[in-house]
Amino acid sequence: MPLSGGAVLLLGGVSPLQGTPRPALITADGELQALSFGPQKECDEFDGTMADVASADPGGVSKARDGSYIMLNKFCGLVYSFRLPSPLSGAPYRQ
């Protein structure tokens, strides 16, 4: 999802082959940063943390007028409203 300032947040959830969430940030200058939002969370473990967002299968994301984001989790049909951590930054991505 595009962020202000030209950065992009990548949310991909988890899969049977990749059980750890791997959110990433692409900065406006093209740097790829790995973010740490916490361990994988199942739908019935929802606790309102960014781990819930990172573990989701995003079905669409929209930015609200108040600056928060609204996202559908296709895994379980939940709709999340959240604000991103500030500042949003991570570690340089290493393969």
Side-chain angles (χ1 to χ4, degrees):
M1 71 183 172
L3 304 177
S4 60
V8 175
L9 176 61
L10 302 176
L11 296 172
V14 296
S15 72
L17 300 176
Q18 178 60 44
T20 303
R22 296 181 298 167
L25 177 68
I26 301 175
T27 63
D29 63 1
E31 180 183 27
L32 180 62
Q33 297 179 358
L35 302 173
S36 177
F37 287 164
Q40 177 184 357
K41 301 289 287 298
E42 300 294 331
C43 289
D44 62 354
E45 297 175 313
F46 179 84
D47 64 3
T49 64
M50 287 303 294
D52 295 309
V53 172
S55 299
D57 181 5
V61 179
S62 181
K63 188 171 185 178
R65 289 184 186 173
D66 68 359
S68 64
Y69 291 88
I70 311 297
M71 180 182 81
L72 168 67
N73 181 351
K74 293 191 311 185
F75 282 140
C76 53
L78 293 176
V79 176
Y80 302 151
S81 175
F82 61 94
R83 290 187 180 274
L84 294 173
S86 181
L88 182 61
S89 64
Y93 183 75
R94 294 186 180 96
Q95 291 184 354

